[in-house]
Amino acid sequence: MSDESDRSLADRLSLPEYPRLPEYPRTAGYDPEWVIANMMGPNPLWLLEALTRDLELSPGMRVLDLGPGRGLTSVFLAKEFGVQVWAAELWVEPTEIFRLAAEAGAGDSVFPIKAEAHDLPFPHGFFDAVVSIDSYHYFGTSDLYLDYLARFARPGTRIGIVAPGLTAEFDAGVPEELSGLWDPAYYSFHSPDWWRRHWERSGRVDVEAADLVPDGWRLWRLWNEVCPLPEDPAIRELVRNEHELIRTDQGRHLGFTRVIGRFR
Ligand SMILES: C[S@@+](CC[C@H](N)C(=O)[O-])C[C@H]1O[C@@H](n2cnc3c(N)ncnc32)[C@H](O)[C@@H]1O
């Protein structure tokens, strides 16, 4: 997506047209109203589709979906790739995820579990893939975390994450034009290079990719424009601030970081 195509993309993103966004053909098959009603961050299906292009999922695999919120990504994984998904989630109750998956026709292959990411109730060596969309930065920035998580995956399998990120670390502090909009929580956003080093140092994975989702900031901004603001006044203010941050930045510093590693 170039600057020239930006406007036409914005035009095409009006709700009736959104499902046909050609860059994301799998996501196009899902009702945008359903995505908006159940998402907890910028369109998780776009982010997951960008990730799964390089993840090599195949039917019957056991996949850990870490922090799936209400379960959109778990449904997508089950339906698009025929995998079995363990939806390990902290803030949303398993019953809510089960209901969503069952209504979407994926009730037999999505298994919701209430879980804290540092206290996972799974056998060691159980998973054929680990996926985390817009969640891993909440718990995975500690130097110790990947070492803990690796025990649940079979050696040789992959982990892939997409999270809000930076084009490069802010070594000289938050850029001036963003400082008035900066929330301390955003310090959990990191660059592809930061994640590569972070994972390589763990000794638990070989990093196969660490990059930015192409034009991710545009998708982020356009999705913000499509979605209604939340009704809760405090959350509304936070979200409005984030929208302003993305609009102001214009992709200079912010985007979505995508990281894929293979467990040793
Ligand atoms: C912004 S939401 C994203 C949810 C979903 N992936 C989506 O995009 O709609 C962040 C998710 O991270 C999960 N999370 C945050 N801290 C966690 C922790 N310590 N253990 C497990 N999950 C955690 C929350 O439960 C929440 O669902």
Side-chain angles (χ1 to χ4, degrees):
M1 280 178 274
S2 63
D3 278 344
E4 298 73 48
S5 64
D6 195 20
R7 177 83 330 249
S8 64
L9 177 62
D11 293 341
R12 282 182 287 145
L13 205 65
S14 65
L15 273 186
E17 287 300 313
Y18 150 83
R20 286 183 285 279
L21 200 62
E23 293 84 351
Y24 290 86
R26 289 185 187 271
T27 303
Y30 294 81
D31 177 2
E33 302 282 4
W34 179 75
V35 177
I36 289 172
N38 293 296
M39 70 184 191
M40 291 168 65
N43 190 339
L45 300 191
W46 280 337
L47 304 183
L48 181 57
E49 187 165 351
L51 180 69
T52 51
R53 281 172 189 148
D54 293 312
L55 217 51
E56 292 180 23
L57 298 174
S58 51
M61 276 184 165
R62 290 195 287 253
V63 178
L64 172 60
D65 188 1
L66 204 43
R70 298 194 180 89
L72 291 173
T73 49
S74 303
V75 167
F76 184 96
L77 288 164
K79 294 188 78 157
E80 295 299 317
F81 301 99
V83 297
Q84 298 178 285
V85 187
W86 277 259
E89 165 60 28
L90 186 62
W91 300 346
V92 178
E93 291 304 313
T95 305
E96 193 177 332
I97 300 174
F98 175 62
R99 213 175 279 141
L100 182 107
E103 283 168 9
D108 290 341
S109 38
V110 172
F111 311 114
I113 289 170
K114 181 87 166 178
E116 208 288 324
H118 299 83
D119 190 17
L120 295 173
F122 303 114
H124 293 186
F126 187 68
F127 290 108
D128 301 308
V130 178
V131 165
S132 185
I133 299 296
D134 192 17
S135 298
Y136 197 85
H137 57 302
Y138 287 93
F139 46 77
T141 57
S142 144
D143 290 336
L144 303 176
Y145 188 67
L146 196 57
D147 177 57
Y148 168 73
L149 183 61
R151 70 197 65 183
F152 300 102
R154 260 189 329 107
T157 60
R158 290 195 172 88
I159 174 171
I161 68 165
V162 177
L166 304 175
T167 54
E169 295 298 299
F170 294 159
D171 293 334
V174 178
E176 204 180 320
E177 70 271 25
L178 303 183
S179 60
L181 299 163
W182 196 255
D183 184 286
Y186 302 152
Y187 284 116
S188 62
F189 300 172
H190 291 289
S191 66
D193 286 349
W194 186 93
W195 279 108
R196 177 183 288 281
R197 181 167 175 264
H198 183 59
W199 278 14
E200 279 175 353
R201 287 199 306 186
S202 77
R204 291 297 178 193
V205 293
D206 293 311
V207 176
E208 296 184 333
D211 52 20
L212 292 170
V213 172
D215 283 305
W217 74 273
R218 281 199 177 85
L219 293 174
W220 195 346
R221 187 189 61 187
L222 292 166
W223 189 247
N224 288 347
E225 287 166 5
V226 166
C227 295
L229 286 167
E231 279 172 21
D232 181 296
I235 301 177
R236 193 183 179 88
E237 214 31 57
L238 277 176
V239 171
R240 210 200 296 270
N241 186 75
E242 181 213 285
H243 290 193
E244 190 53 33
L245 183 79
I246 302 306
R247 259 198 306 271
T248 304
D249 183 57
Q250 297 280 316
R252 279 184 289 270
H253 306 285
L254 292 153
F256 290 107
T257 301
R258 188 186 79 125
V259 198
I260 296 174
R262 191 188 277 270
F263 290 109
R264 290 181 184 165

